[in-house]
Amino acid sequence: MIKLHDKYFKPFISAKEIDRALQRLVDEIAEDVGDEIPVFVGILNGSFMLTSDFVKKYPNTCEVTFIKLASYEGVKSSEDIQRLIGLTQDLTDRTVIILEDIIDTGNTLHEVYRIFKNEKVKSLKIATLFYKPEAYKKDFKLHYVGIEIPDKFIVGYGLDYDGLGRNLPEVYQIKETQHMTNLVLFGPPGAGKGTQAEFLKEKYNLVHISTGDVFRYNMKNETALGMLAKSYIEKGGLVPDQVTIDMLNAEVEKNADANGFIFDGFPRTNAQADALDKLMDSKDSQINAMIALEVDDEVLVNRLLERGKTSGRKDDADETVIRNRIKVYYDETAILKDFYAGQDKYFGVDGVGSIENITVRLSSVIDNL
Ligand code: IMP
Ligand code: MG
């Protein structure tokens, strides 16, 4: 991963792949051009690297020139194309091939056609190394296309983000979500998970996703996923992991600019942990840590019995029930502890002490991620 200005980018197309695509373009063009001496016209700035590599590979005699246009501001294409350096030589009766680094909306290409409208060239053809078909809004024919890519911002191999990245020999794609800290928070009943989640949420500007809340929200508001979940529950079955993951996905998407998420109540099984990894991966992100609050059973039992005296929660009143809930927790999380420990992401934190002290312990784990 690399960072340019304020944004993160991930490796996307290797130098080798670029080289192969370039070679294919050279081969096709050389074959079509035959004995003519073509003029290759690079569109600056982006195509300086491509043009240089291209003509080095070109097997026959050729000429090279440039025009310089500018359109992009930040990560957005603009309609307003500036002509900074136009054609500086007579191209009458010449075979002209435009070399573009990338064709996005096609606005730049439109300007190229305007430039050539009054030139009496023999033929004008367009070659582009990268092409974003989903973004292209014009209908000029693209004669030679190196690699088709999705409509996402890329840098490297001549392409820049506000001036940076042009020198990179490979291509990087903007990350779907920018840098996030995602935590899976665990703790036996009575460990103070809810209290700590509130603090962490504030301190790190994270979004707390409690699976229980997400379920209740979706069912209460009768969302499509909520209704689906309900149909399983009413038949007495378990809600399939995919339904839960889809709900979590919706929560993550709702909060796309969050600094990260605290997952609470999910995952519970290896399969769910795998599914969560895949979900994070699809957002170009990852789970950074599983943090488990560790509290001795006897302390938990006492805390819960205390709470039961005032909370009125039935499951906090009976010691056998409490001990069983604690046991279920350890049975369930033992597997997940192994799962995350296997990825070096398991952090046990001592959950006995004052609320502030425990927050400090949790913070020191997060700050060191
Ligand atoms: P178009 O005019 O929208 O087709 O965009 C063409 C120009 O925008 C290119 O020559 C690039 O300078 C710039 N551009 C388009 N997409 C990208 C990108 O993903 N990264 C960097 N520059 C881009
Ligand atoms: Mg360009």
Side-chain angles (χ1 to χ4, degrees), residues 196-356:
Q196 294 301 333
E198 282 304 306
F199 279 108
L200 297 181
K201 190 173 119 174
E202 288 296 315
K203 177 158 184 197
Y204 295 97
N205 193 18
L206 305 176
V207 173
H208 181 198
I209 300 188
S210 147
T211 325
D213 290 346
V214 171
F215 262 94
R216 281 185 289 275
Y217 170 86
N218 278 277
M219 298 205 286
K220 182 165 164 255
N221 291 288
E222 308 198 323
T223 67
L225 287 167
M227 301 296 277
L228 188 58
K230 214 174 195 166
S231 73
Y232 286 97
I233 293 168
E234 278 168 358
K235 277 180 255 157
L238 289 172
V239 177
D241 286 349
Q242 193 54 48
V243 177
T244 311
I245 280 286
D246 289 347
M247 283 190 205
L248 296 183
N249 182 36
E251 289 304 306
V252 171
E253 286 192 348
K254 254 189 249 169
N255 298 287
D257 349 312
N259 282 354
F261 296 91
I262 302 174
F263 292 97
D264 176 355
F266 192 91
R268 283 245 155 84
T269 62
N270 263 332
Q272 291 180 348
D274 264 328
L276 185 59
D277 276 355
K278 288 210 181 76
L279 171 64
M280 289 291 108
D281 195 48
S282 76
K283 307 284 178 225
D284 293 333
S285 195
Q286 67 288 309
I287 296 295
N288 302 82
M290 169 195 182
I291 303 185
L293 284 171
E294 293 170 343
V295 182
D296 194 69
D297 286 9
E298 299 317 307
V299 177
L300 292 175
V301 171
N302 284 331
R303 278 191 195 171
L304 288 173
L305 285 173
E306 267 315 298
R307 188 168 84 179
K309 285 182 193 161
T310 52
S311 77
R313 274 178 62 165
K314 275 212 198 77
D315 57 351
D316 284 350
D318 180 323
E319 186 169 336
T320 326
V321 173
I322 291 174
R323 289 201 186 272
N324 192 50
R325 277 165 61 208
I326 296 171
K327 182 181 175 309
V328 168
Y329 168 81
Y330 283 109
D331 290 347
E332 273 184 355
T333 49
I335 321 161
L336 291 163
K337 185 172 169 176
D338 292 344
F339 181 94
Y340 288 107
Q343 301 184 3
D344 277 332
K345 290 179 182 169
Y346 176 83
F347 299 89
V349 169
D350 182 4
V352 182
S354 69
I355 293 176
E356 300 79 48

Side-chain angles (χ1 to χ4, degrees), residues 43-47 69-72 99-103 108 158-160 166:
I43 311 295
L44 291 175
N45 291 331
S47 65
L69 305 175
S71 73
Y72 245 63
L99 295 181
E100 260 289 28
D101 45 350
I102 187 163
I103 293 183
T108 307
L159 294 157
D160 70 311
R166 292 196 195 277

